[in-house]
Amino acid sequence: MINLIPSKDLRDYLKEINHTFTDFEKATLIFQNRFLNKNQKHEELRKISQTTSNQELKKQIQESLQYENQFYKDFFENNEEKYIYTVQKNHEVFAYFKYCQEALDFIKYFDFNKIKSLEIRKYQKQGFISEKENRYITAVSINLNGEIERILHDQNAKENRWFNTDYFEEHYVYIPSYFHKGDCVRNVRTNTFSILLEDDQDLLKFLDTAKKRGWKPHFVETTYKGYTLKDGYWELSFLNLSELELARIPISSRKQRLLDRAYEAMSDYIHFKYVNRHRINEDGLEVMERNILKTTRDYFQYTLKKEDPNFQRVINAQELEDVIVDLI
């Protein structure tokens, strides 16, 4: 079987503590694995369906595969040329195509070290003005190998399983880890660095609260929150725990040195504010906040152009909140 957990650090740790996953959890981890393409996911899910004793899971997998097979058949279909396809990242469109395969061939020329995520969207051709004026009918995400990875949108779906945690696709999975608040981690898929705001204790507390209150957590809610420096600010978001490894930023240029200082400042702040709070007073925390502002400003003064809309915001930032965007 493929690696359920992309992170080698976590795989080794789970093996060390003899942690195992149920068939239901394995199916979720396969579906959520962003390294795999749709065919690999389907193959692994079929294997689980054939061997599991969980009849509900068997039923769910069969329904899911049936739906996805029909979806992809329809997604590629354009023999009567009623549709157009776009290759895009969020709202940035790179090209338009008559057929989906042409879009996939075009994607092969992308440098995925620079562009971390792409989509192919399908639009009705009749009445089409632009991707901003028209609503796409279906969309798929592309993995870092330029292959279709998963369905992003289907306006014709009778049932939206992606937001229902009773199904394996979005059901939560508890993944133990030895990471701590303030640790610097690297996403092994996107090669981006983050500072953890949560750790295993926080996750267990959340799951206990969810159980007591009858909540049904989604998969993304059982990952960690963390800060990532990008586009002129610190982005607070959920981090896919299964893709994280402990790391230090490699220092081989001035840009990387400045980046490392900014991450070190944020790491120290999180560590002392949430882990060793008894060892620092309010004045000390304020000094750390000012250091985050300074190192963040130094980094973006070096990397952003003055005409960038985020440049002045970073330069004029007075409080830590001025350089943080909460996406949660």
Side-chain angles (χ1 to χ4, degrees):
M1 178 178 278
I2 45 80
N3 290 322
L4 292 172
I5 305 293
S7 163
K8 185 179 184 302
D9 283 1
L10 279 185
R11 288 202 306 272
D12 291 345
Y13 176 68
L14 294 174
K15 183 177 180 180
E16 180 182 328
I17 65 174
N18 296 315
H19 184 83
T20 58
F21 296 106
T22 66
D23 287 343
F24 205 96
E25 291 172 330
K26 290 176 182 178
T28 302
L29 291 171
I30 290 169
F31 179 82
Q32 293 288 344
N33 192 320
R34 303 293 301 278
F35 281 86
L36 305 179
N37 63 40
K38 63 179 181 63
N39 293 332
Q40 291 170 318
K41 291 183 181 186
H42 289 180
E43 180 181 354
E44 296 300 325
L45 288 172
R46 284 192 194 94
K47 291 178 183 178
I48 292 179
S49 177
Q50 292 166 359
T51 59
T52 186
S53 60
N54 186 328
Q55 295 304 309
E56 174 60 25
L57 175 60
K58 185 188 294 285
K59 176 175 176 288
Q60 287 191 19
I61 291 177
Q62 291 172 349
E63 290 174 347
S64 178
L65 293 178
Q66 183 179 7
Y67 161 70
E68 290 209 1
N69 286 332
Q70 185 61 51
F71 171 90
Y72 287 116
K73 179 181 178 181
D74 294 340
F75 188 75
F76 276 83
E77 172 60 41
N78 193 25
N79 290 335
E80 297 181 9
E81 301 182 9
K82 294 181 179 180
Y83 308 98
I84 58 174
Y85 298 86
T86 63
V87 172
Q88 57 191 91
K89 178 181 180 181
N90 297 325
H91 297 295
E92 181 182 2
V93 176
F94 296 103
Y96 300 87
F97 298 94
K98 183 185 298 184
Y99 299 109
C100 184
Q101 188 57 53
E102 293 176 338
L104 287 169
D105 292 340
F106 173 73
I107 285 171
K108 295 176 182 178
Y109 296 98
F110 277 79
D111 182 356
F112 283 93
N113 291 318
K114 297 179 179 179
I115 297 179
K116 306 299 182 183
S117 62
L118 283 176
E119 302 173 20
I120 297 179
R121 296 182 180 181
K122 187 176 184 180
Y123 294 83
Q124 287 278 4
K125 186 176 181 180
Q126 184 176 4
F128 182 82
I129 301 173
S130 72
E131 74 288 344
K132 294 181 180 180
E133 299 292 333
N134 294 75
R135 177 68 176 171
Y136 54 96
I137 57 174
T138 49
V140 298
S141 66
I142 304 299
N143 65 19
L144 297 186
N145 293 319
E147 306 161 323
I148 294 177
E149 181 253 327
R150 68 193 302 182
I151 302 167
L152 288 179
H153 175 72
D154 180 7
Q155 74 170 21
N156 298 316
K158 295 181 180 179
E159 181 180 22
N160 198 337
R161 296 168 59 116
W162 307 308
F163 297 100
N164 189 336
T165 58
D166 290 332
Y167 293 103
F168 73 87
E169 288 94 334
E170 282 296 334
H171 196 274
Y172 82 87
V173 177
Y174 169 58
I175 305 174
S177 87
Y178 60 92
F179 301 150
H180 297 96
K181 293 185 185 76
D183 282 349
C184 182
V185 293
R186 181 181 71 90
N187 184 299
V188 297
R189 177 173 57 86
T190 63
N191 198 35
T192 53
F193 294 85
S194 303
I195 300 297
L196 294 180
L197 182 60
E198 294 181 323
D199 56 22
D200 196 60
Q201 289 184 344
D202 297 296
L203 184 52
L204 288 173
K205 287 179 183 177
F206 168 74
L207 291 175
D208 184 58
T209 301
K211 183 178 180 180
K212 290 177 180 177
R213 298 188 180 183
W215 298 343
K216 295 181 178 181
H218 290 256
F219 178 83
V220 69
E221 294 176 306
T222 52
T223 60
Y224 293 168
K225 298 173 186 175
Y227 290 101
T228 306
L229 197 59
K230 57 170 62 176
D231 300 328
Y233 55 84
W234 286 95
E235 178 184 283
L236 176 61
S237 62
F238 286 113
L239 308 174
N240 190 332
L241 176 59
S242 69
E243 298 177 348
L244 302 182
E245 294 183 352
L246 286 178
R248 282 296 304 269
I249 295 172
I251 302 175
S252 59
S253 65
R254 182 184 177 189
K255 177 181 177 181
Q256 289 176 319
R257 283 195 299 272
L258 292 171
L259 184 64
D260 182 63
R261 289 171 187 169
Y263 271 84
E264 187 175 21
M266 180 61 82
S267 175
D268 289 343
Y269 176 73
I270 297 299
H271 178 77
F272 279 100
K273 183 175 182 178
Y274 297 103
V275 181
N276 281 323
R277 184 66 181 85
H278 61 284
R279 297 182 59 183
I280 194 169
N281 57 27
E282 288 296 328
D283 290 340
L285 279 180
E286 288 183 10
V287 171
M288 287 187 167
E289 288 183 6
R290 290 198 296 271
N291 191 36
I292 294 175
L293 281 172
K294 180 184 183 304
T295 55
T296 302
R297 189 180 296 118
D298 290 345
Y299 175 71
F300 285 120
Q301 276 185 314
Y302 184 77
T303 58
L304 290 179
K305 296 180 180 179
K306 291 184 178 181
E307 57 269 24
D308 190 301
N310 289 316
F311 183 83
Q312 288 302 320
R313 186 183 69 173
V314 175
I315 299 303
N316 297 327
Q318 299 297 315
E319 305 289 339
L320 182 57
E321 290 73 18
D322 296 337
V323 293
I324 291 177
V325 174
D326 188 345
L327 298 184
I328 296 175

